[in-house]
């Protein structure tokens, strides 16, 4: 029996990168995982295949985040699929991993970029939590994927950093709000991690080495580094941790 056997988890942005690793780890530990994706059905199916071949249980849920009624669309499709799986609509674990990036210093910032980044990175998690609370069981887990950029000065990613700072604030407020139901709310803040989203920052071996040198371990993070922390937070072993943003940057800029 896995530590998450009998649990149902929703992982947003689970088609690749950190989200894929999280979905795989939760399934490995026994959870039934809803693999959310926005556009890349091929990649989402690859995540599903990885999980099922390893003996795990999962299914796909498509919904574009950052659009009107995105939370309602996602949960309606999730509930329909759970019904077909002969499982109730209840959730135990919600991982808000889906996000988007965009570089802009203060003089390059635009209202369009601001609205887009906040819609996906901040507004979507807020209303996914709000809509999901009626199905989230007591003793549940909410885990938000933040970023080290929220607590370190990255002028070139001003708006992105702001979205993650707001997510950290949301995490703290909800931890207190939901504590009477024994629902923990935490965030995990990766640093430079080897994902598609960060590929443009690793254009040359020199660039990769420079980024790695900012960490205490002289390497970039792997998606599994983040997934292992999220999995711990999803289990009962983390029951006395709430309202925290856990630095998962490998000691970047110590």
């Amino acid at each position: 029996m896995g530590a998450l056997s009998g649990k149902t988890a929703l992982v947003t942005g689970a088609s690749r990168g950190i989200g894929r690793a999280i979905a795989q780890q939760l399934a490995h530990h026994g959870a039934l995982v809803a693999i959310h994706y926005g556009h890349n059905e091929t990649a989402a199916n690859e995540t599903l295949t990885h999980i099922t071949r390893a003996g795990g249980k999962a299914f796909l849920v498509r919904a574009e985040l950052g659009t009107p009624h995105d939370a309602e669309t996602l949960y309606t499709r999730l509930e329909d699929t759970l019904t077909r799986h002969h499982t109730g609509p209840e959730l135990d674990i919600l991982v808000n991993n889906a996000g988007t990036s965009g570089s802009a210093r203060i003089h390059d910032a635009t209202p369009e970029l601001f609205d887009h980044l906040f819609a996906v990175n901040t507004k979507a998690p807020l209303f996914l939590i709000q809509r999901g609370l009626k199905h989230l069981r007591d003793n549940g887990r909410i885990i938000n994927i933040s970023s080290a950029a929220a607590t370190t000065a990255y002028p070139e990613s001003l708006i992105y950093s702001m979205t993650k700072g707001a997510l950290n604030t949301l995490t703290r407020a909800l931890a207190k709000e939901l504590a009477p139901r024994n629902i923990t709310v935490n965030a995990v803040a990766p640093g430079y991690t080897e994902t598609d989203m960060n590929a443009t920052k690793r254009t040359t071996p020199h660039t990769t080495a420079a980024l790695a040198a900012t960490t205490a371990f002289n390497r970039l993070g792997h998606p599994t580094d983040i997934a292992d922390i999220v999995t711990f937070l999803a289990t009962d072993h983390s029951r006395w941790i709430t309202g925290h943003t856990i630095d998962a940057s490998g000691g970047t800029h110590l």
Side-chain angles (χ1 to χ4, degrees):
M1 294 287 288
L4 299 175
S5 293
K7 306 290 187 181
T8 300
L10 167 62
V11 182
T12 66
S15 63
R16 55 185 182 169
I18 291 172
R20 173 181 288 182
I22 292 170
Q24 289 179 263
Q25 277 287 69
L26 297 181
H28 174 73
H29 287 275
L32 169 63
V33 179
I35 301 166
H36 162 264
Y37 70 101
H39 300 284
N40 196 335
E41 185 174 2
T42 299
N45 272 306
E46 289 173 359
T47 302
L48 179 62
T49 298
H50 284 305
I51 290 173
T52 55
R53 283 182 177 172
K57 299 179 294 181
F59 59 90
L60 303 182
V61 179
R62 181 187 179 278
E64 184 179 355
L65 301 184
T67 62
H69 314 298
D70 51 3
E72 188 62 35
T73 298
L74 193 158
Y75 278 107
T76 298
R77 293 173 179 175
L78 174 65
E79 291 157 6
D80 290 345
T81 306
L82 286 173
T83 298
R84 292 198 300 272
H85 278 257
H86 305 290
T87 301
E90 291 79 16
L91 276 177
D92 301 281
I93 303 158
L94 169 59
V95 181
N96 283 307
N97 167 76
T100 188
S101 63
S103 297
R105 293 178 177 269
I106 182 61
H107 297 295
D108 301 316
T110 64
E112 292 77 16
L113 181 62
F114 181 95
D115 290 345
H116 176 63
L117 292 185
F118 266 90
V120 177
N121 295 353
T122 310
K123 182 179 178 181
L126 168 64
F127 288 102
L128 284 172
I129 293 170
Q130 182 194 66
R131 174 64 171 78
L133 279 176
K134 69 178 182 180
H135 294 316
L136 191 66
R137 292 186 177 99
D138 291 352
N139 304 301
R141 300 286 185 265
I142 298 172
I143 304 160
N144 299 318
I145 304 304
S146 181
S147 171
T151 54
T152 306
Y154 288 107
E156 66 275 17
S157 298
L158 173 63
I159 299 174
Y160 174 80
S161 300
M162 292 170 64
T163 68
K164 295 301 186 176
L167 196 62
N168 293 351
T169 300
L170 172 66
T171 298
R172 288 192 297 273
L174 287 179
K176 189 169 185 178
E177 177 81 10
L178 300 179
R181 294 180 54 191
N182 285 323
I183 294 171
T184 66
V185 188
N186 291 289
V188 177
Y192 294 118
T193 308
E194 292 182 329
T195 65
D196 294 344
M197 181 182 290
N198 291 325
T200 56
K201 300 175 183 177
R202 308 189 308 272
T203 54
T204 67
H206 176 75
T207 302
T208 300
L211 294 176
T214 66
T215 75
F217 302 107
N218 197 35
R219 71 169 176 86
L220 299 182
H222 304 303
T224 53
D225 294 326
I226 313 306
D228 285 344
I229 298 169
V230 172
T231 301
F232 165 71
L233 291 174
T235 69
D236 191 54
H237 299 302
S238 68
R239 61 191 175 275
W240 204 232
I241 301 172
T242 196
H244 280 274
T245 297
I246 297 176
D247 184 291
S249 70
T252 297
H253 298 304
L254 282 179

